[in-house]
Amino acid sequence: MSGGVDSSVSAALLQRAGYDVTGVFIKVWQPDWITCTWREDRLDAMRVAAKLGIRFVTLDLEEVYKREVVDYMIAEYRVGRTPNPDVMCNRYVSSAAFLIGR
């Protein structure tokens, strides 16, 4: 859960449909020179989870994200290819969250 509208409404709809819903916030790597709002985003997601009465889990996947998404993206650009970081994020970060969250 990001704390935004899409993930919040999705959680509410799944809950309404009878599913056992757990909100998962994934903390990813950010370079030091970019202002990161992950603390505020996490707090928003926690508030939504509390309002819905669902379990909430935070996963720190900074190392995996840096290694599998950011480093991959830089390596691809270096050899003249256009990377697709979303595919790598889904494969190594998002799927890991579901496996860890079990």
Side-chain angles (χ1 to χ4, degrees), residues 54-72:
I54 63 174
R55 185 172 161 235
F56 184 80
V57 177
T58 299
L59 299 177
D60 185 343
L61 298 178
E62 284 185 275
E63 289 181 29
V64 173
Y65 186 84
K66 170 71 167 72
R67 181 180 64 245
E68 301 296 344
V69 179
V70 176
D71 292 349
Y72 149 79

Side-chain angles (χ1 to χ4, degrees), residues 20-84:
D20 181 19
V21 179
T22 299
V24 178
F25 180 85
I26 302 172
K27 184 173 182 281
V28 297
W29 179 85
Q30 289 282 324
D32 294 337
W33 46 270
I34 292 179
T35 302
C36 183
T37 61
W38 75 267
R39 286 177 183 84
E40 294 84 6
D41 297 340
R42 180 177 175 268
L43 189 56
D44 289 342
M46 289 173 69
R47 287 182 183 127
V48 171
K51 180 77 173 173
L52 295 174
I54 63 174
R55 185 172 161 235
F56 184 80
V57 177
T58 299
L59 299 177
D60 185 343
L61 298 178
E62 284 185 275
E63 289 181 29
V64 173
Y65 186 84
K66 170 71 167 72
R67 181 180 64 245
E68 301 296 344
V69 179
V70 176
D71 292 349
Y72 149 79
M73 190 171 61
I74 291 168
E76 289 297 295
Y77 277 129
R78 280 190 176 140
V79 295
R81 292 189 290 250
T82 303
N84 189 339

